Amino acid sequence: MAQATDTKSTETTRRDFLMLATGAAGVVGLGAVVVPLVSQLAPDAQTVAAGAPIDLDLAPIAEGQAIKLFWRGKLIFVRHRTKKEIDEARAVNVATLPDPQTDEARVKAGHEQFLVVYGNCTHLGCVPLGNSPGDPKGDFDGWFCPCHGSHYDSSGRIRKGPAPLNLPVPPYAFSADTKIRIG
Amino acid sequence: MSGHSSYVPKTGFERWLDARLPIVRLMHDSAVSYPVPRNLNYFWTFGGILMFMLVAQIVTGIILAMHYTAHSTMAFNSVEHIMRDVNYGWLLRYLHANGASMFFVAVYVHMFRGLYYGSYKAPREVLWILGVVILLLMMATAFMGYVLPWGQMSFWGATVITSLFSALPIVGETIVTFLWGGFSVDNPTLNRFFSLHYLLPFMIFGVVILHVWALHHVGQNNPTGVEVKNVQKDTVPFTPYATVKDVFAMVCFIGLFSYFVFYQPNFLGHADNYIPANPAVTPAHIVPEWYFLPFYAILRAIPDKLGGVIAMGAAIVVLAFLPWLDSSKVRSMSYRPIARQFFWAFVVVCIGLGYLGAMPAEGGYVIASQIFTALYFGYFVALFVIGLFERPKPLPSSIADSVLGALQGGSGARMAAATAAEPNAKG
């Protein structure tokens, strides 16, 4: 029969069993070790805890001014827009924008004058200029990123340059007429 | 290429050790009796210079780490502490900072040498690819090292370069968060960059050992690109010939290095990096260190975020495929009349990209960057096409002929015999 001609036994041996059992234990063990090794790279508990909501009083921001603040370590712009800036942002044909979004969707109804956006360029993370009075505001009365030349409009939407997306709007809500809670 | 070992243990201890761990034999065979082509020029000394620079960076780096504090609130001041308070701290830091630049000067010369003389062609493909791996590790190390002083350029350089990964679809943002250890570049980022900046040089060292191993297995290329046919006639022993030449070139190179360290220590850096990191303000004109400028220009030339990142990565990775992109069997550009002109055009393109990378990304500079980026990649296409029809100049029949061929008649023959006999006499 087959066994008579085969030089190797086809029977399952203890070595085969050990090979499979050890291999399986090794794979599971490796997986169990990889999880903590990778997971430690993620934001730690302290950093996440720093993401608690913050309150901000908008009353001191005069029309035409903008301020910077940090939430969760990320820079946020709050801008008190002029009538002209709001009108410009709303006159645009949304379909022609690189990242189509209406100005209405980016501000809270009844508080159109306040624009709250993250302050890092969506290209490679530089801080666009346009908050201080002397800053260049780009071709669209918003912000201009000096690193790679992205222009944002008065709604924080990308209009020109390498950045792919609009400045994102962080989660926030009005707790009073001139008070917001970010987070 | 290396033949039988010519090592003869001289003392009883050496014989005892050789039977147990033949380490002296290994050193003797690879750095004393190892045969090197007799026609190597000074461009072949940059491997030794690079080895010196790697060791110099590791030594100065380990010492700096003894005085440096990897914390976002203390890093900048600890670097100033090194500059002002630590004995010779200014010297060690300037050696390390300028050493990185000199390392890249040497590696770029070394690479252009390989490109000109076809050192990437069979049987040296693996040797060449290991070199590309070393280049990538060097770039990662240099980038993370530049972040450590935690000045404005450190911070914004780190932000821009890590943000490159956000261009990847779907996983991009997650990868960036995991790189940062937070929602922006901050203390966790600084800490892990310090850890990796300390680790990577030793990984470079490991790959360098493989690089040298591969080199000593296939033997060195030479300016003619003709393989060694007769070890007696075509080669000389590493010591003293290559040793003294390497050391002489190294001393000259250290002269250049010293000029920067002692007379222009901040010439290659940016003044903005002496301003502490401020996450609310980006410097008006941010540029990477000079050795990244050509790649930075390629990144900015592509008007699409993901496209720019891919082009920049491809500019380096394409080098690894060069052994199969160049269709010519002739190694040395000295014998390739058409490809040689393209090589020099490529050198000009690389320097041009470096210039454009330092300029603002607007108007004519962007258009020029786009043209030069096309030319950069065009070189690799050109090498494939040229090899199909180019008629190379006749190659010398051997390395010895290429050196001694000019000396016709009796004196030449006598000299050939004399020098060919020399390895035996000295070895």
Side-chain angles (χ1 to χ4, degrees):
Chain A
M1 301 299 286
Q3 266 164 324
T5 52
D6 273 357
T7 49
K8 274 197 248 169
S9 167
T10 55
E11 270 178 59
T12 308
T13 63
R14 279 199 298 172
R15 185 174 294 112
D16 292 332
F17 171 73
L18 284 175
M19 189 74 121
L20 283 171
T22 319
V27 168
V28 172
L30 191 69
V33 169
V34 164
V35 170
L37 288 181
V38 174
S39 175
Q40 56 81 27
L41 288 171
D44 57 30
Q46 192 187 12
T47 309
V48 174
I54 54 169
D55 291 310
L56 180 70
D57 185 4
L58 303 180
I61 309 172
E63 189 173 303
Q65 277 193 343
I67 61 156
K68 294 174 179 177
L69 72 154
F70 287 93
W71 175 65
R72 289 208 313 188
K74 285 196 83 81
L75 184 64
I76 289 177
F77 292 158
V78 180
R79 184 152 171 171
H80 189 160
R81 303 189 293 178
T82 61
K83 180 82 175 63
K84 176 173 166 279
E85 287 169 344
I86 299 171
D87 292 343
E88 277 174 355
R90 303 204 158 178
V92 167
N93 178 5
V94 171
T96 62
L97 299 177
D99 182 13
Q101 215 178 5
T102 62
D103 184 58
E104 286 82 353
R106 296 172 56 78
V107 293
K108 305 291 181 196
H111 303 280
E112 291 82 9
Q113 70 273 38
F114 291 110
L115 177 70
V116 184
V117 288
Y118 281 116
N120 292 98
C121 182
T122 58
H123 181 226
L124 295 173
C126 295
V127 178
L129 300 170
N131 286 347
S132 305
D135 280 356
K137 289 178 191 279
D139 296 350
F140 304 92
D141 258 349
W143 288 273
F144 170 72
C145 184
C147 292
H148 308 98
S150 292
H151 298 254
Y152 294 91
D153 67 11
S154 52
S155 187
R157 292 174 298 197
I158 180 66
R159 298 291 287 272
K160 195 173 133 190
L165 300 171
N166 301 334
L167 294 176
V169 178
Y172 75 99
F174 276 84
S175 51
D177 195 36
T178 58
K179 283 195 167 59
I180 58 168
R181 169 165 284 199
I182 300 175
Chain B
M1 179 158 164
S2 44
H4 291 291
S5 176
S6 64
Y7 172 63
V8 182
K10 290 181 194 70
T11 63
F13 173 73
E14 281 183 70
R15 273 191 296 278
W16 181 87
L17 184 65
D18 194 53
R20 285 155 182 81
L21 177 71
I23 189 167
V24 184
R25 179 181 297 276
L26 178 71
M27 299 312 292
H28 182 272
D29 291 346
S30 38
V32 178
S33 67
Y34 177 71
V36 297
R38 61 190 298 163
N39 59 342
L40 297 187
N41 59 36
Y42 271 102
F43 286 109
W44 262 266
T45 60
F46 280 84
I49 288 169
L50 285 163
M51 187 69 99
F52 169 80
M53 288 313 303
L54 177 60
V55 173
Q57 288 300 86
I58 289 177
V59 169
T60 52
I62 288 174
I63 293 169
L64 288 171
M66 295 175 187
H67 303 279
Y68 170 78
T69 311
H71 190 279
S72 58
T73 59
M74 291 180 266
F76 187 88
N77 287 338
S78 77
V79 172
E80 287 308 303
H81 161 75
I82 289 169
M83 293 299 288
R84 293 153 195 251
D85 304 337
V86 176
N87 294 340
Y88 293 103
W90 59 272
L91 176 62
L92 292 161
R93 173 161 177 264
Y94 279 154
L95 283 171
H96 196 71
N98 287 283
S101 279
M102 291 299 126
F103 207 154
F104 276 94
V105 168
V107 88
Y108 286 148
V109 173
H110 191 67
M111 288 168 64
F112 278 120
R113 192 286 318 275
L115 288 170
Y116 186 87
Y117 294 111
S119 302
Y120 47 86
K121 292 186 188 181
R124 299 185 180 83
E125 303 97 319
V126 172
L127 173 61
W128 174 259
I129 291 169
L130 287 167
V132 176
V133 172
I134 294 170
L135 175 69
L136 285 170
L137 288 170
M138 277 177 65
M139 291 177 128
T141 311
F143 159 63
M144 291 198 242
Y146 195 60
V147 174
L148 303 184
W150 211 240
Q152 273 289 64
M153 281 293 176
S154 300
F155 184 90
W156 292 104
T159 300
V160 167
I161 300 300
T162 51
S163 294
L164 292 177
F165 290 92
S166 72
L168 298 172
I170 305 163
V171 292
E173 292 296 335
T174 313
I175 289 178
V176 172
T177 305
F178 272 63
L179 282 174
W180 289 342
F183 305 105
S184 61
V185 172
D186 208 339
N187 191 48
T189 325
L190 175 60
N191 262 300
R192 63 192 56 179
F193 277 20
F194 180 53
S195 172
L196 293 173
H197 182 70
Y198 208 120
L199 165 74
L200 287 184
F202 297 97
M203 290 179 67
I204 293 176
F205 203 88
V207 184
V208 165
I209 288 173
L210 296 180
H211 192 67
V212 173
W213 184 12
L215 172 74
H216 283 221
H217 185 69
V218 295
Q220 281 164 298
N221 186 25
N222 65 83
T224 64
V226 175
E227 286 290 292
V228 170
K229 289 173 180 141
N230 181 331
V231 174
Q232 290 288 313
K233 285 184 182 161
D234 293 342
T235 70
V236 290
F238 193 93
T239 300
Y241 297 95
T243 319
V244 73
K245 192 165 180 166
D246 277 357
V247 172
F248 176 70
M250 215 178 281
V251 169
C252 293
F253 191 80
I254 291 169
L256 175 74
F257 185 10
S258 302
Y259 169 75
F260 279 104
V261 168
F262 292 106
Y263 293 96
Q264 297 286 350
N266 290 302
F267 179 76
L268 297 165
H270 299 286
D272 275 315
N273 221 28
Y274 283 103
I275 302 168
N278 179 356
V281 179
T282 306
H285 185 49
I286 88 164
V287 278
E289 291 281 81
W290 69 267
Y291 37 81
F292 291 139
L293 288 173
F295 303 105
Y296 194 61
I298 291 174
L299 168 77
R300 299 193 304 183
I302 313 292
D304 175 74
K305 185 173 168 183
L306 180 60
V309 172
I310 290 173
M312 185 176 71
I316 302 165
V317 172
V318 70
L319 292 170
F321 294 93
L322 190 53
W324 297 278
L325 291 175
D326 186 346
S327 56
S328 173
K329 291 271 175 276
V330 176
R331 292 200 186 93
S332 174
M333 292 286 180
S334 303
Y335 302 94
R336 301 186 60 191
I338 302 172
R340 181 170 65 220
Q341 294 171 36
F342 277 77
F343 169 84
W344 288 112
F346 181 69
V347 173
V348 172
V349 165
C350 291
I351 294 169
L353 280 169
Y355 168 77
L356 291 167
M359 293 297 114
E362 52 195 39
Y365 293 125
V366 175
I367 297 162
S369 299
Q370 287 164 349
I371 294 168
F372 275 62
T373 299
L375 292 174
Y376 179 93
F377 288 105
Y379 177 67
F380 300 95
V381 179
L383 279 184
F384 183 80
V385 177
I386 292 167
L388 302 178
F389 65 85
E390 183 184 42
R391 175 190 280 270
K393 290 200 250 174
L395 292 171
S397 59
S398 73
I399 293 171
D401 273 7
S402 77
V403 178
L404 307 166
L407 305 164
Q408 295 298 325
S411 67
R414 224 178 19 251
M415 202 172 153
T419 43
E422 221 166 1
N424 286 341
K426 299 249 175 162

